[in-house]
């Protein structure tokens, strides 16, 4: 049976979930960023931010809280991106309907899911080796 979380672990999990919310908001709202003299060149820098930060949140949760709860930042990030992106403030559609939205989702959620699966696999393997 798994031990319950300490107050510090709960606080850390809450803080990492809040980080996921703030990063998702930042990434969705700045995704339509354009550069150039007339604002003609799309520059989805937030996809790069998501590619670095979302897997980092998952890995940090696995290290500081528990590997079994490392899905929490990824789940929070996905929910916030879809809820705010599709039903944004005032009912506006914030998530742009082109390749940049796919890039954001693929560059952020896919690496985080790979980190999540790898961490859970290592934790399961360590438990199996410890029993032997």
């Amino acid at each position: 049976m798994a031990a319950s979380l300490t107050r510090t672990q709960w606080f850390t999990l809450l803080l990492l979930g809040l980080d996921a919310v703030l990063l998702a908001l930042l990434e969705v709202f700045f995704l339509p960023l354009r550069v150039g003299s007339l604002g003609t060149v799309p520059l989805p820098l937030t996809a790069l931010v998501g590619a670095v930060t979302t897997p980092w949140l998952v890995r940090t949760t696995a290290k500081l809280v528990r590997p079994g709860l490392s899905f929490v930042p990824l789940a929070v990030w996905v929910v916030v991106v879809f809820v705010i992106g599709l039903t944004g403030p005032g009912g506006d559609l914030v998530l742009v309907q082109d390749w940049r939205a796919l890039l954001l989702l693929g560059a952020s959620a896919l690496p985080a899911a790979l980190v999540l699966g790898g961490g859970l696999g290592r934790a399961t393997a360590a438990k199996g080796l410890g029993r032997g």
Side-chain angles (χ1 to χ4, degrees):
M1 182 173 169
S4 62
L5 297 176
T6 65
R7 285 186 186 193
T8 304
Q9 288 174 320
W10 276 114
F11 180 73
T12 303
L13 185 63
L14 180 68
L15 187 62
L16 290 167
L18 180 64
D19 286 343
V21 168
L22 295 175
L23 285 166
L25 289 173
L26 172 95
E27 292 162 11
V28 168
F29 286 139
F30 283 99
L31 186 62
L33 182 67
R34 292 179 173 270
V35 295
S37 59
L38 300 174
T40 56
V41 180
L43 186 67
L45 286 177
T46 60
L48 180 62
V49 171
V52 172
T53 58
T54 310
W56 177 81
L57 287 171
V58 170
R59 188 176 305 114
T60 303
T61 304
K63 285 182 184 177
L64 297 180
V65 181
R66 181 180 299 159
L69 291 174
S70 58
F71 72 93
V72 171
L74 177 58
V76 167
W77 185 90
V78 168
V79 167
V80 170
V81 165
F82 279 111
V83 168
I84 294 299
L86 299 177
T87 65
D92 294 333
L93 187 65
V94 178
L95 195 61
V96 291
Q97 300 294 308
D98 63 8
W99 60 272
R100 292 173 290 177
L102 293 176
L103 181 65
L104 175 67
L105 292 171
S108 301
L110 184 62
L114 291 172
V115 168
L116 173 63
L120 292 176
R122 281 190 295 279
T124 303
K127 280 183 182 180
L129 292 176
R131 290 183 183 175

